[in-house]
C-alpha cells in the first residue's frame, strides 16, 4: 500500500459519487483530499503510523477514517459498495471522450441508459439531440467517441500480443509436427498495435498440428479448425490465426501473411508487370512455379533487394529496393545510451545506482536521468534544493562507476505559455533538458503548436518528449500541427523523442520518416520509471526501424565521447 494507491482510490470515489448523482460537494471533497495528498511531501507511511492523517489539509473526519481503514486493511467497504451500486456499463462509458460522470448520470436518469450499446442506439435514434445539456453536436461527438472506443477494444498493444506470440511460438517449435514456424502479420512488421497474432508453420502432418494447436491450454475458444488454418481466441482475449502450409510453400506464405496488404498489392502488381503471378502459394510463370526457398529469393526474382518486414507498408520501400537505396536500419546493438529515465527523486521507483547497474548490464555506456520538474507536483517534481542534492549524487556515482556516465537532465514541463519550468540559472545546471507537455491538453492546434515551437526555440531545450501526447488505444494525440513541430525542430537543431513506452510509441513512425528527411535527430527513449522499464528501448527500436531510421538518425547511437561533445554544443 502506497500513498499513490490511496490517491487513486480517492479519485475513483470522486468519480463514482458523480456517476451516482450525489451532491457535487461530496465528490469535490474527495478530489481535494486526493490533490492535497499529492502535494504532501513528507513520509506518508510515517504519518499514517502516527495516526496523523487528520492533520493533513483538506482531510476531514469522514475521509480520514476511510483512508485509515483502507491503509490498515487494504480494503474499503464504502468504496466496494459504491462501486457495486453503479451499472458496470457506466464505467465503460467513461472511456468515451467528452462524456463525463455527470452527463452519464443524466443519461441514466432521463433515458435509462446503462451500457455503451444502449447509448449508441439512443444516439442513432436521435434521443440526445433534444435532451437538456446535450444537443445534436454532443450527440455526434458521443457517436464518434463510441466508434473510437470500439476500434480501441478491437486492437491490442503490440508488446502485449508479442509476449503471448512468443510463448505460442516456443510451444510450436517443440512440436514434432512442425518443420518451420514463425510470427507473421503486423507483429512481424513491428506495428504499434495489432488486431491479432498471425502464426505460420509448415508441417508434414497438418491435421495433427491443427488439432493439437486448437486443443492446447492457452486456447479459450476455437472459431475455425481446418488443415490449413486454425483460428482461436486465447484465454488472454487475443485472437490468433495459425496457418499451415507445405515446406515448399512456406517462403511465399511467409511473404504473403507478413503483409501489409498494401505492400502485397504493390508486389503483385510488380510481378504482373514482369509476366508473373504471385500469391500465398507461389510465384508463377504460366503454370510453372519460380522456385524460391527464402523470402530473399522472392524479392530477388522481382529484381529487388530484401525488404525488412518493418518497411513493408507500401511507403516507398519497393522503389527504394529496386534502386538499391533501402536504409540500413538501426539495430538494438547500435544503441550506446538511454535518456529519459526517472529516479526515485520524482516518480521513479528505483534509486539512481540501481538504474546505473541495470543500464550497464544492458551494455550501455551512459544514461541521462530526467525527473519531473517542479510544476508536476502530482509526479513529485523536483524543487531547486532537490536538484542540487541529485547533482551531488550523480557526481559521486560518476566517479564510482567511471567510465560509465550519468548525464544530468530534467523533464521540464512546457508551461501553457511555452516557457520552461525553471529560471535560466537553474536550467543551465543540466547537461540536457527534455521539454514535455503534461497539462492543458485542450488548447487549439494553433495555440499548442505555438507553445511547443516556443519551447523548441528555447536555447536550453535539448529534446521534445512524446511529441503528440497520445496514449495508444486510449487517448488521441492533442491537437497540434506536427509538420510545424518537425520544421521547428529542424530549424533550431532540436531532437525529437521516440518515446518507447508501449503505451506511447510517440513520435509515430510515419512521422519519423518525415523527420529523417528533414535531418531531425530522434532519441529512442525508454521513459523508464523503474529498472525493468529500461528495456522498453527495444520496442522503440522496432518503431524507429519502421520509421526508416538508421544509426546516424538516432541521437543515442552516439558514443559517450561524442555525446559529451554533442551536449556541450547544445548547452
Ligand atoms: P492487423 O491484424 O490488423 O494488426 O494487421 P495484419 O497486417 O496482421 O492483417 P491481417 O491479420 O488481417 O492479415 C495478415 C496479412 O495477410 C496481411 O498483412 C496481408 C495478408 N492478407 C490478408 N488478407 C489479405 C487480402 O485480402 N489481400 C492481401 N493482399 N493480403 C492479405
Ligand atoms: Ca494480424
Amino acid at each position: 500500500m502506497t500513498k499513490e494507491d490511496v490517491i487513486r482510490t480517492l479519485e475513483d470515489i470522486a468519480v463514482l459519487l458523480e456517476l451516482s448523482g450525489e451532491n457535487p460537494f461530496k465528490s469535490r471533497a474527495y478530489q481535494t483530499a486526493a490533490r492535497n495528498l499529492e502535494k504532501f511531501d513528507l513520509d506518508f507511511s510515517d504519518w499514517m503510523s502516527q495516526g496523523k492523517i487528520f492533520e493533513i489539509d483538506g482531510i476531514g473526519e469522514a475521509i480520514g477514517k476511510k483512508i485509515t481503514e483502507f491503509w490498515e486493511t487494504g480494503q474499503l467497504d464504502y468504496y466496494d459498495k459504491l462501486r457495486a451500486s453503479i451499472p458496470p456499463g457506466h464505467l465503460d462509458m467513461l472511456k468515451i471522450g467528452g462524456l463525463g460522470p455527470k452527463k452519464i448520470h443524466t443519461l441514466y436518469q432521463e433515458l435509462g441508459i446503462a451500457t455503451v450499446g444502449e447509448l449508441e442506439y439512443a444516439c442513432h435514434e436521435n434521443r440526445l439531440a433534444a435532451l437538456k445539456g446535450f444537443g445534436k453536436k454532443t450527440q455526434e461527438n458521443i457517436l464518434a467517441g463510441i466508434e473510437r472506443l470500439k476500434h480501441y477494444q478491437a486492437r491490442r498493444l503490440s508488446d502485449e500480443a508479442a509476449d503471448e506470440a512468443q510463448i505460442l511460438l516456443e510451444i510450436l517449435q517443440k512440436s514434432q509436427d512442425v518443420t518451420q514456424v514463425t510470427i507473421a502479420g503486423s507483429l512481424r512488421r513491428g506495428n504499434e498495435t495489432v488486431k491479432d497474432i498471425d502464426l505460420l508453420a509448415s508441417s508434414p502432418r497438418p491435421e495433427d498440428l491443427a488439432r493439437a494447436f486448437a486443443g492446447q491450454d492457452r486456447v479459450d475458444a476455437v472459431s475455425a479448425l481446418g488443415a490449413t488454418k486454425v483460428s482461436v481466441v486465447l484465454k488472454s482475449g487475443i485472437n490468433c490465426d495459425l496457418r499451415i502450409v507445405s515446406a515448399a510453400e512456406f517462403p511465399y506464405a511467409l511473404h504473403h501473411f507478413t503483409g501489409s496488404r498494401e505492400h502485397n498489392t504493390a508486389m503483385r502488381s510488380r510481378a504482373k508487370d514482369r509476366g508473373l503471378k504471385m500469391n500465398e502459394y507461389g510465384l508463377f510463370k504460366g503454370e510453372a512455379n519460380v522456385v524460391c526457398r527464402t523470402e530473399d529469393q522472392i524479392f530477388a526474382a522481382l529484381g529487388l533487394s530484401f525488404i525488412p518486414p518493418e518497411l513493408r507498408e507500401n511507403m516507398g520501400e519497393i522503389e527504394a529496393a529496386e534502386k538499391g537505396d533501402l536504409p540500413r536500419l538501426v539495430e538494438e546493438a547500435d544503441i550506446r545510451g538511454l535518456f529519459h529515465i526517472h529516479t526515485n527523486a520524482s516518480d521513479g521507483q528505483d534509486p539512481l545506482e540501481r538504474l546505473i547497474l541495470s543500464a550497464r548490464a544492458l551494455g550501455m555506456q551512459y544514461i541521462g536521468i530526467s525527473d519531473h520538474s517542479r510544476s508536476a507536483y502530482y509526479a513529485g517534481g523536483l524543487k531547486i534544493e532537490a536538484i542540487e542534492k541529485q547533482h551531488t549524487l550523480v557526481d559521486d556515482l560518476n566517479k564510482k562507476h567511471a567510465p560509465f556516465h550519468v548525464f544530468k537532465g530534467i523533464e521540464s514541463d512546457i508551461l501553457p505559455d511555452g516557457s520552461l519550468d525553471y529560471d535560466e540559472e537553474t536550467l543551465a545546471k543540466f547537461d540536457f533538458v527534455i521539454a514535455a507537455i503534461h497539462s492543458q491538453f485542450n488548447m487549439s492546434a494553433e495555440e499548442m503548436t505555438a507553445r511547443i515551437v516556443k519551447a523548441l526555440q528555447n536555447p536550453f531545450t535539448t529534446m521534445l518528449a512524446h511529441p503528440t501526447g497520445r496514449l495508444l488505444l486510449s487517448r488521441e494525440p492533442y491537437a497540434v500541427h506536427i509538420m510545424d513541430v518537425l520544421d521547428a525542430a529542424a530549424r533550431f537543431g532540436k531532437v525529437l523523442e521516440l518515446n518507447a513506452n508501449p503505451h506511447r510509441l510517440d513520435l509515430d513512425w510515419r512521422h519519423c520518416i518525415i523527420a529523417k528527411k528533414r535531418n531531425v535527430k530522434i532519441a529512442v527513449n525508454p521513459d523508464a520509471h523503474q529498472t525493468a522499464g529500461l528495456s522498453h528501448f527495444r520496442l522503440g527500436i522496432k518503431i524507429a526501424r519502421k520509421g526508416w531510421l538508421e544509426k546516424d538518425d538516432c541521437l543515442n547511437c552516439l558514443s559517450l565521447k561524442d555525446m559529451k561533445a554533442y551536449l556541450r554544443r547544445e548547452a
Side-chain angles (χ1 to χ4, degrees), residues 128-188:
L128 273 62
L131 195 63
K132 196 164 161 265
F134 288 79
K136 215 166 169 57
K137 186 87 199 117
T138 309
Q139 178 170 283
E140 277 166 24
N141 288 342
I142 290 177
L143 263 182
I146 293 175
E147 274 315 303
R148 226 167 11 240
L149 186 66
K150 282 204 251 176
H151 168 73
Y152 287 168
Q153 288 174 341
R155 298 188 73 81
R156 293 286 180 139
L157 294 183
S158 70
D159 80 316
E160 239 178 90
D163 289 347
E164 179 86 45
Q166 191 55 37
I167 296 171
L168 294 171
L169 186 68
E170 281 162 24
I171 295 173
L172 286 168
Q173 277 165 342
K174 286 190 202 121
S175 159
Q176 300 288 329
D177 296 326
V178 167
T179 323
Q180 256 182 301
V181 58
T182 180
I183 294 169
S186 48
L187 262 184
R188 181 165 184 239

Side-chain angles (χ1 to χ4, degrees), residues 185-187 194-198:
S186 48
L187 262 184
V194 304
K195 180 190 72 194
D196 57 9
I197 297 173
D198 297 291

